[in-house]
Amino acid sequence: MISLHWKPLFEELFYKLFFGRNNWKYLSIGILLSFIPVLNIFAFGYLYRHTFRFIHLGESELGEWNDWQNLFYDGLRFAFVWLLYWLIPLVAMVGVGYFAQGNGLDAFIQIGLTIGVLYFSIVFCVALNRVQALQNFKILTKFRLLIKLSNKLVLPMLIPLLVFYGFHMIVKPLYGVSFFLGFLVLLSYNAISMQTMAIRGKRAL
């Protein structure tokens, strides 16, 4: 277990997620499901459940794959936030980039898209964190608040973001691997970062 009342080294979290007892069994199931349309909802649900336990109990250990019915419902909750705060913004950016290409801006468009993927990954993590911490989806309407919180986490989340991007580049054709493992790292570290930020804010008062 990693306490959320202090911010551990990223290496410690990484080790607990990937080298804990039986973790590769749990990870392999998630990766496999991530490749299969419809069934990937269960992988979403696992990420949702893991993050919820991390936020409320401070448990970094990966849990069992069980209670599949509720896992499916959790996957739908995850997918809703992911669609709203990750996929739709990036599709919009790709659309803008498509119409802007061919004007000598291709390199800048590619850089912008890369930055967009990383930035909206933070925004998504923050949005999901707030939904789970407050157990209320109405927080998703507080767009400015979520963006403000995300901006504060750009630097603290830099290392996990680079790992996320590294997963994507190394196993680019294997999107299930980069998606499941990448968001597992981001969501876990984001939970710690937001708790740390909240504690510091209280101390400042």
Side-chain angles (χ1 to χ4, degrees):
M1 178 183 294
I2 294 180
S3 172
L4 295 187
H5 297 289
W6 60 284
K7 193 170 182 178
L9 292 173
F10 174 73
E11 291 83 356
E12 179 186 351
L13 174 64
F14 190 88
Y15 181 84
K16 284 183 174 292
L17 290 176
F18 291 98
F19 299 102
R21 185 179 180 182
N22 294 325
N23 277 17
W24 276 105
K25 178 181 71 174
Y26 306 137
L27 294 174
S28 297
I29 296 173
I31 291 170
L32 179 62
L33 291 174
S34 295
F35 282 103
I36 307 172
V38 180
L39 293 183
N40 58 5
I41 291 293
F42 292 103
F44 291 177
Y46 188 85
L47 291 172
Y48 186 95
R49 185 178 295 177
H50 171 75
T51 309
F52 189 91
R53 289 173 54 247
F54 209 146
I55 292 170
H56 291 280
L57 302 175
E59 295 181 0
S60 59
E61 293 81 6
L62 299 182
E64 296 285 343
W65 286 85
N66 54 25
D67 192 9
W68 290 85
Q69 181 176 348
N70 285 322
L71 200 65
F72 181 81
Y73 294 138
D74 285 341
L76 294 178
R77 297 182 182 99
F78 180 99
F80 178 73
V81 183
W82 176 75
L83 180 71
L84 193 62
Y85 275 93
W86 195 85
L87 188 60
I88 290 178
L90 290 178
V91 168
M93 290 187 66
V94 170
V96 172
Y98 176 79
F99 288 107
Q101 67 182 354
N103 297 317
L105 301 175
D106 291 6
F108 293 102
I109 292 172
Q110 187 59 46
I111 293 172
L113 289 176
T114 300
I115 293 174
V117 168
L118 297 178
Y119 180 71
F120 281 105
S121 295
I122 297 179
V123 176
F124 161 67
C125 289
V126 168
L128 187 66
N129 180 284
R130 292 297 81 201
V131 165
Q132 293 185 312
L134 302 174
Q135 300 186 52
N136 189 340
F137 276 81
K138 290 182 179 180
I139 190 65
L140 296 178
T141 63
K142 306 292 185 180
F143 180 75
R144 291 184 179 179
L145 173 62
L146 296 176
I147 291 297
K148 183 179 180 180
L149 291 172
S150 300
N151 291 340
K152 291 181 179 180
L153 288 172
V154 171
L155 288 180
M157 291 285 292
L158 185 59
I159 294 178
L161 277 175
L162 293 176
V163 171
F164 177 79
Y165 185 68
F167 277 140
H168 174 70
M169 295 305 296
I170 293 172
V171 293
K172 195 171 184 178
L174 305 176
Y175 65 91
V177 178
S178 60
F179 182 92
F180 188 79
L181 298 185
F183 275 116
L184 178 66
V185 171
L186 281 184
L187 289 166
S188 299
Y189 199 77
N190 178 74
I192 300 172
S193 297
M194 292 204 68
Q195 181 70 10
T196 302
M197 185 170 62
I199 292 173
R200 288 176 178 174
K202 290 178 181 179
R203 289 175 179 173
L205 296 175

